[in-house]
Amino acid sequence: MTEILRVSNLTKIFTIGSIFSRTKIVAVNNVSFGVNRAEVFTLAGESGCGKTTIAKILLGFEHPTEGIIEYNGRRIDNIKPKERFKLRKEIQTIFQNPFSTFNPLRKVDRYFFEALRNFEITEQESDVVRIIKEKLDAVGVAYEEFCEKYPGEFSGGQLQRISIARALLTNPTLIIADEPVSMVDASLRMSIVNLFKDLRDKFGVSVLYITHDLATAYYVSDRMAVMFRGEIVELGRADKVLQEPKHPYTRLLRESVPEPDPSKRWTSKVVLAEQEHEEYLRTGCKFAGRCPTAMEICKRESPDYYEVDGVKVRCFLYK
Ligand code: SF4
């Protein structure tokens, strides 16, 4: 499989506090992963795990402290703004809140005309409506329902579909979707993430899906990485990672997803705690403070990755 995106040893350090008491937080610590062509790859984890910082770095909103990002074999973490603009044609983004993507006082179709013009998709007036109809059709929205309307006239689910259609205008090869369904009604979430599968299958688009929602991640992902406090703790095929989680943190996350079949529910109880700051600063395994299987070594040393059943796991249990 060919990789479209490669992230190697990515690290981002933030300094917080005043001039007298500065603390360095390693928000992303030596993270490496790749996204293949026509693949849905998910970065999953609680808020504060570093996944959104990675998205910001990929989009050029933050600079990495260390590490390399390559798109189609070409390094993109150090490119100039003009080159980044060109890259936006190939790498499109879907954000969390569709209502903040569009100005409430501007008709939504204007964004589509603008994108076609800015990215020089077509110079033919006659092609404009055809292309817009085609993209709306791919996300299940009728052109007639969309034309001449303001964002407030759509539901959250409809508007997110429309923002996906807008992303498709440039025929991207990679879509970065950062929590795209977290503000959408629960009943509509699956139908929206299903679009990512359609884009993969019909148009060969790769999707980097960033989410805290394991149910949609399981449904849509080919492979996934689970993040905890800036580090990938488990990476592999999504069915393996979620059906047979190996890292104690993945098990904890998996446990927090309601299981319809009572016989399949996990039984051990670990409470999700808000210990973010302490955990980021911890030497050794960052999960050691709340891991039910922590050992002495876990408090002193940071584990490496071990390959278990085709899945990479960062945990001393598999040494
Ligand atoms: Fe738990 Fe140790 Fe594995 Fe960390 S390395 S997850 S503390 S067993």
Side-chain angles (χ1 to χ4, degrees), residues 11-207:
T11 295
K12 177 69 186 177
I13 301 174
F14 291 108
T15 305
I16 57 167
S18 70
I19 194 164
F20 301 110
S21 62
R22 289 210 164 144
T23 313
K24 284 190 171 173
I25 294 284
V26 186
V28 176
N29 187 17
N30 203 17
V31 163
S32 299
F33 65 91
V35 180
N36 294 322
R37 278 187 191 277
E39 175 186 54
V40 179
F41 183 92
T42 295
L43 276 183
E46 297 167 276
S47 69
C49 71
K51 58 193 191 308
T52 295
T53 304
I54 292 177
K56 285 182 180 167
I57 295 172
L58 292 175
L59 297 169
F61 300 145
E62 294 278 0
H63 289 293
T65 310
E66 276 175 37
I68 291 175
I69 300 164
E70 290 159 293
Y71 168 75
N72 247 340
R74 179 181 151 225
R75 195 164 168 182
I76 59 163
D77 52 276
N78 52 3
I79 56 174
K80 298 200 166 67
K82 205 170 165 187
E83 287 176 87
R84 189 163 288 284
F85 177 78
K86 280 192 203 155
L87 203 63
R88 274 178 47 204
K89 197 169 171 181
E90 291 173 55
I91 305 178
Q92 285 282 344
T93 320
I94 313 289
F95 293 105
Q96 183 173 20
N97 183 356
F99 288 101
S100 62
T101 304
F102 300 101
N103 179 336
L105 302 176
R106 196 165 179 234
K107 288 176 181 167
V108 173
D109 52 8
R110 304 302 189 263
Y111 288 87
F112 281 61
F113 300 133
E114 191 177 74
L116 288 175
R117 192 175 57 242
N118 288 348
F119 289 106
E120 299 171 352
I121 308 294
T122 178
E123 294 190 346
Q124 304 290 326
E125 282 292 310
S126 55
D127 276 347
V128 169
V129 173
R130 180 187 59 75
I131 294 172
I132 296 175
K133 275 186 174 170
E134 189 184 294
K135 304 306 178 190
L136 287 170
D137 192 45
V139 301
V141 175
Y143 180 76
E144 295 68 28
E145 284 172 31
F146 146 94
C147 238
E148 295 292 333
K149 285 197 178 151
Y150 290 95
E153 294 179 74
F154 297 101
S155 68
Q158 269 178 317
L159 202 58
Q160 197 57 302
R161 283 171 182 272
I162 289 169
S163 66
I164 295 171
R166 186 174 69 142
L168 294 179
L169 287 174
T170 61
N171 297 321
T173 42
L174 173 66
I175 289 181
I176 298 176
D178 186 8
E179 298 280 10
V181 290
S182 61
M183 301 196 68
V184 170
D185 198 71
S187 60
L188 297 171
R189 278 179 201 158
M190 286 302 181
S191 69
I192 290 182
V193 293
N194 215 10
L195 290 174
F196 297 141
K197 280 176 149 180
D198 283 352
L199 300 180
R200 176 197 64 190
D201 298 341
K202 290 186 191 155
F203 306 111
V205 175
S206 307
V207 179

Side-chain angles (χ1 to χ4, degrees), residues 282-289 291-303 315-317 319:
R282 193 184 292 280
T283 46
C285 174
K286 301 212 182 300
F287 193 54
C291 176
T293 49
M295 301 164 277
E296 268 313 305
I297 191 175
C298 309
K299 293 171 192 159
R300 293 192 313 269
E301 292 176 30
S302 183
C315 174
F316 283 122
L317 288 176
K319 190 173 179 182

